[in-house]
Amino acid sequence: EGKPVEITNQYKLLSVPKKNHEPEVTDSNYKQTKLNCFQVDPYCCQRRTPLQHHNKLLTDAFEILEENAEYIESSNDTKGYSRNLAYRRVLAVLRSLPQAVTSVKQIKDVKHIGGHSQKIIQELLEEKCCLEVEEIKRSVRYNKMKLFTGVFGAGVSTARRWYDTGMTSLNDVIQHNEDRSTAQKYGLAFFDDLNMPVLKAEAEQVKSIVKNITESILPGVSVTVTGGFRRGKTVGHDIDLLISHPKEGAEIGLLGKILEKLQQLNLILYGSHNKCTYSERHFTEEPRDPPTNSQMDHFEKWFGIIGLPKISTEKTVLIAENDASDKSIKDLVDLSKSEKSWTAKRVDLIIVPSSQYFYGLVGWTGNKMFNRDLRLYAQKELNMRLSSHGLYDLTKGCLLTSNSEEEVFKYLKLPVIPPELRNC
Ligand code: DCT
Ligand code: MG
């Protein structure tokens, strides 16, 4: 994670919850206030970061640099330093600033914006574009990696392998006879559908389908749309649904029944059901292992693709023959191109036990950078271990159970940042 960040008194003062985002301006403190606008707290979980911010010219460019760094970096050659992470930190700072940067001087001493990033900002402010960024946008490698990482089931290392093997189009990949996971086959065949932005209305439509099914199995269940939509985004790449029940333990075995029902309704195209073990599910009662810092949680979950009827209807629509799992990629491509009354959508269903609900909610709301800093901050500043399952105080040796999202922030001694301001 690089060097630990020292919290100075000045930062501590800035971390006190503010009623109003902008400080009060009087004539005498005007100049100082102007400069303070560009003063930031070190961790993005301490800052308010809206979706619509003031520095889009800069962030558009840094998004390309960040993406490209991810494509280039391999997980074992960075030796602790990651350019991708450095750019993500620059992005998080720029998105949180309450004003547009108009001169590089304003951000000279701003945390996380290093020399190279300052040069890029200066160039962008003066020229409205940046040579390095323009070159990346034109590069074959960047464009092919962007295309290949857009395939569901293919991460950066798969995309790199395809690129290094000389494949240049999705057709090349489809025709190449290398082993591919079932997820990748579906990702390739339904590439167009899955790369159409998911609309908020579609997320709500899937939520209500899942809610109706689940309620009929287990009354009193809650289904919540999380991820980007909960942070106020109007489009996304998938639909993240958190499923829970107020009675701890009632959720056990629920997901299997939900999937069975979805299958009967012919709504499932592809899915992978990750069951969790008893000890993972019950760690809050037997806290032998404090929650780890690992990105992936241990909730029982399903990652899949559903065929969402284009017109909202409660009636079932025949999507594909039930047993789609051993179809050839050619059959799948034909199916994806056929005249159909549905579109393929990525859906994640996550089962969260009631006692872990608010930690799961924070984790699955994100964004990714917010989570990363929240966990880092908890560890470095409070000696606490945070995950989507809970918060463990390593000093006191106890788990802190939470009954609201606000309480999670209170334990962490942070101002309550609402979901719409977690777009770091
Ligand atoms: N998450 C995380 N770390 C990851 C992946 C996800 O902390 N490596 C959390 C943060 C957001 C949430 O899970 C849902 O993940 P995504 O659906 O990938 O992100 P999103 O913010 O919902 O973005 P999108 O709108 O593209 O779906
Ligand atoms: Mg999402």
Side-chain angles (χ1 to χ4, degrees):
E1 279 302 336
K3 276 194 244 144
V5 187
E6 198 179 295
I7 300 211
T8 62
N9 282 338
Q10 180 191 15
Y11 285 137
K12 277 197 180 123
L13 279 175
L14 281 170
S15 328
V16 172
K18 295 167 205 148
K19 276 224 181 71
N20 200 335
H21 195 17
E22 307 221 358
E24 205 180 308
V25 184
T26 65
D27 270 357
S28 60
N29 71 6
Y30 178 72
K31 213 170 162 202
Q32 194 54 41
T33 306
K34 271 286 227 210
L35 283 173
N36 281 350
C37 284
F38 297 96
Q39 192 69 264
V40 298
D41 288 330
Y43 296 94
C44 69
C45 57
Q46 297 171 298
R47 311 193 288 256
R48 292 157 176 79
T49 314
L51 207 50
Q52 305 297 336
H53 59 81
H54 306 275
N55 286 287
K56 199 152 164 13
L57 170 77
L58 304 182
T59 55
D60 283 352
F62 277 94
E63 277 166 19
I64 309 276
L65 293 164
E66 182 263 329
E67 248 177 340
N68 189 56
E70 190 191 7
Y71 298 158
I72 288 168
E73 265 165 29
S74 89
S75 48
N76 48 15
D77 72 6
T78 55
K79 297 205 176 69
Y81 175 79
S82 156
R83 278 217 298 164
N84 167 260
L85 181 58
Y87 284 134
R88 278 167 59 194
R89 295 206 182 286
V90 173
L91 278 164
V93 166
L94 292 173
R95 289 175 183 138
S96 76
L97 295 175
Q99 277 188 19
V101 177
T102 51
S103 152
V104 78
K105 283 194 198 116
Q106 294 162 322
I107 43 120
K108 199 164 57 67
D109 299 318
V110 168
K111 193 120 205 135
H112 304 305
I113 305 189
H116 183 62
S117 295
Q118 290 194 18
K119 278 203 198 106
I120 289 163
I121 291 173
Q122 181 160 18
E123 193 180 339
L124 285 164
L125 293 175
E126 285 167 7
E127 315 286 339
K128 298 277 173 282
C129 77
C130 162
L131 200 62
E132 186 182 340
V133 174
E134 294 311 307
E135 271 169 14
I136 293 170
K137 282 203 274 191
R138 277 195 302 267
S139 83
V140 176
R141 189 192 168 91
Y142 168 79
N143 284 291
K144 297 304 167 198
M145 285 296 287
K146 198 169 169 67
L147 175 73
F148 292 160
T149 52
V151 175
F152 165 63
V156 172
S157 60
T158 303
R160 198 180 293 140
R161 195 178 63 245
W162 290 345
Y163 178 76
D164 290 342
T165 317
M167 304 184 205
T168 60
S169 66
L170 292 179
N171 241 343
D172 284 355
V173 181
I174 288 171
Q175 272 153 24
H176 196 270
N177 64 351
E178 69 158 24
D179 275 348
R180 274 174 305 239
S181 67
T182 312
Q184 287 165 4
K185 285 188 206 165
Y186 279 83
L188 286 163
F190 289 92
F191 182 86
D192 291 344
D193 273 8
L194 297 177
N195 278 278
M196 279 293 284
V198 180
L199 305 177
K200 190 169 165 91
E202 291 168 328
E204 291 299 331
Q205 192 185 342
V206 172
K207 177 201 153 160
S208 74
I209 292 171
V210 172
K211 168 86 181 160
N212 288 342
I213 289 174
T214 313
E215 184 70 31
S216 73
I217 302 165
L218 179 68
V221 78
S222 73
V223 179
T224 311
V225 180
T226 59
F229 291 114
R230 185 158 185 264
R231 301 194 310 275
K233 283 175 69 176
T234 51
V235 294
H237 95 284
D238 69 354
I239 300 156
D240 308 295
L241 297 179
L242 235 57
I243 301 169
S244 192
H245 191 277
K247 188 167 170 284
E248 183 88 5
E251 78 288 348
I252 297 169
L254 178 62
L255 186 53
K257 291 178 194 155
I258 297 172
L259 294 174
E260 217 169 90
K261 206 74 194 261
L262 285 168
Q263 190 77 51
Q264 280 166 14
L265 295 172
N266 266 330
L267 288 164
I268 294 180
L269 279 168
Y270 163 80
S272 155
H273 181 178
N274 303 328
K275 302 183 170 111
C276 68
T277 66
Y278 182 85
S279 67
E280 281 164 348
R281 191 188 299 129
H282 285 267
F283 84 91
T284 44
E285 287 151 34
E286 298 166 35
R288 271 173 303 158
D289 302 313
T292 65
N293 254 0
S294 86
Q295 288 286 333
M296 200 23 91
D297 58 59
H298 302 288
F299 293 129
E300 182 180 8
K301 59 173 82 70
W302 180 83
F303 291 135
I305 304 174
I306 68 153
L308 184 66
K310 276 180 183 160
I311 23 145
S312 176
T313 163
E314 295 297 301
K315 297 257 160 53
T316 63
V317 177
L318 186 72
I319 288 178
E321 285 133 56
N322 247 336
D323 187 18
S325 58
D326 26 274
K327 278 186 192 298
S328 74
I329 189 144
K330 189 181 168 304
D331 291 342
L332 290 172
V333 171
D334 290 347
L335 177 63
S336 75
K337 302 272 182 270
S338 63
E339 185 83 17
K340 51 192 177 34
S341 56
W342 47 273
T343 40
K345 297 284 170 198
R346 273 274 301 110
V347 176
D348 294 340
L349 303 176
I350 305 102
I351 303 291
V352 185
S354 169
S355 62
Q356 301 169 31
Y357 181 75
F358 291 101
Y359 291 105
L361 183 62
V362 169
W364 276 87
T365 298
N367 63 9
K368 215 166 139 180
M369 193 61 202
F370 188 86
N371 286 350
R372 184 182 198 109
D373 263 8
L374 203 56
R375 288 163 198 198
L376 186 68
Y377 162 90
Q379 186 170 318
K380 299 260 186 233
E381 308 302 332
L382 305 173
N383 196 30
M384 290 182 181
R385 202 81 53 91
L386 174 73
S387 76
S388 286
H389 298 276
L391 181 64
Y392 191 86
D393 187 327
L394 287 155
T395 312
K396 293 185 186 146
C398 65
L399 271 160
L400 302 165
T401 57
S402 179
N403 290 309
S404 68
E405 230 180 3
E406 287 72 23
E407 204 172 10
V408 174
F409 285 90
K410 201 182 88 195
Y411 286 141
L412 291 170
K413 301 182 176 31
L414 287 172
V416 180
I417 310 284
E420 319 76 75
L421 297 178
R422 297 180 205 164
N423 291 293
C424 313

